[in-house]
Amino acid sequence: MAFITADRVLDSSTSTGTGAFVVSGTPAAGYRTFSEVMSVGDTCYYSIQGQTTSEWEVGLGTYSSANTLTRTTVYSSSNSGSAVTFSAGTKNVFITMAASKSPQLDPSGNVTALGTPASIALTNATSLPLATGVTGTLSANNGGSVAWQTVQTASFAAVAGNAYPVNTTSAAITVTLPASPSAGAIVQLTDYAGTWATNNATVAPNGSKINGGTANYTLNINRESVALVYLDATQGWVIYSGFNSSSSGVYAVSYLVVAGGAGGGANDGGGGGAGGYLSSATSLVSGVTYSFVVGAGGAGSVGTTSPNSGGTNGSNTTAFGLTAIGGGGGGGQGGLTGGSGGSGGGASNSSSPGSGTSGQGNAGGAGTNSSPFPGGGGGGASAVGGAGTTNGGNGGAGTASSITGSSVTYAGGGGGATFNATAGGTGGAGGGGAGGAGVAGVAGTANTGGGGGGSGGAGTGAAGGSGVVILSVPTANYSGTTTGSPTVTTSGSNTIIKFTAYGSYTA
């Protein structure tokens, strides 16, 4: 569970009353929906606004299940600060920044206070401006004024009231905050050698929270200084001061998620559909581990029986709460339709292609009984698969991505097959395998999500290519903590992490 802040999250809901709101899962154009940035149990500041009424509400929400936002605490509303009994009609639901939870600089450059904090003494930092509501002298509870300690070169337990220069030149360091702190406890940390971007300093809450979350907090900006104050059990340690830093514990990454391509059909079979293709950006929270599962390619159909089954669908790929759907299998002998999936499989002779998934891929091509050589349809991709004639239909072209720093095309459809010895369908750009011309087709390329080519004889349709997950992380934020042995490279100011099977990344 984590507290989530994210830009451009806007969805709609027709929920009524004072209960949880179920959003559509289909964001407004140019925006993202809640499932793209939140996992079950995460919290966020939300706003609900009636599209045709004056009803509105701002509060703390909990993502309690898929596409469901529970209104945990109401901060302000058109119902005098109480939960609004929303009437019928469509409402906009979006992530916001609650004014009552947002400290800002006043015209004099002072930080405006939220409520009245416990007395915090500033006896050794008289140049620091204080906002209204902060009184007394700067002393950390648990004894004495804030005191600078010697340079720390190994992991250590911090003591309230102390400031620490932290030197990570040799290795990353974990700073464990005090256990059972009292309100007003202060700890300050400074990057001594300008090496936190290379070897991070990790702050462990030690049973409390940091910024309202239970995860560790990663400091990864060179020459950063951060001061934390303990407020209460709800928010725990809150970062109240920092400089030479744009880090808030949340940073943006780009991703590419491709599912496994499907297998091709046999005996003038259709080409396998490409795996579903998803590409966008999301925000990661420092210290949170994100897991990925890369889908395998589907097997081709076996042509030793008549009629035979079509090719097997590719397996799904999951990342950030998203699911890229495996490609639909190519149709097999006997007029079998193509399978539906991320992209649809091509049909065999005289049958219909499989459909794709909106936002991930398109349908495959139709098959034909044209004399003298029936042709299977090409597998779908970003482009619709080609229809079979006396030749096999061409696989649909995939989508090019430059997430790795170079333009690479992914998720191409497999080519349809025919008994014509010279005219199998071509594989779509993006790893699609060619259809067979009187022979077996070509397999989709691994880690592209390409569909397998259909078989033009009694042999087995070709297998689809496996999927992939690729992240582009700002190198200044890259933690270096992964599982699953991904390939890690760099491109400009970004670190590129490529997963070809199960793995995880800790932000």
Side-chain angles (χ1 to χ4, degrees), residues 328-331 336-341 343-347 351-357 362-366 378-380 384-385:
L336 294 181
T337 60
S340 296
S343 296
S351 59
S352 302
S355 59
T357 299
N362 286 295
V384 175

Side-chain angles (χ1 to χ4, degrees), residues 317-341:
T317 295
T318 57
F320 305 122
L322 305 172
T323 300
I325 299 174
Q333 183 192 35
L336 294 181
T337 60
S340 296

Side-chain angles (χ1 to χ4, degrees), residues 36-105:
E36 296 182 60
V37 299
M38 301 187 74
S39 300
V40 173
D42 289 347
T43 58
C44 70
Y45 294 139
Y46 71 88
S47 181
I48 303 172
Q49 175 67 58
Q51 292 187 4
T52 59
T53 69
S54 59
E55 297 168 340
W56 62 271
E57 183 177 298
V58 175
L60 176 69
T62 301
Y63 193 68
S64 52
S65 61
N67 291 327
T68 301
L69 188 71
T70 296
R71 296 145 67 186
T72 305
T73 304
V74 177
Y75 297 141
S76 59
S77 72
S78 57
N79 188 27
S80 302
S82 298
V84 174
T85 305
F86 280 96
S87 56
T90 301
K91 277 75 69 175
N92 289 328
V93 185
F94 52 94
I95 291 179
T96 189
M97 188 64 220
S100 62
K101 301 296 181 181
S102 306
Q104 301 181 50
L105 293 180

Side-chain angles (χ1 to χ4, degrees), residues 272-275 342-344 356 360-364 378-385 395-399 410-414 428-429:
S343 296
Q360 299 194 24
N362 286 295
S382 293
V384 175
T399 302
Y410 300 86

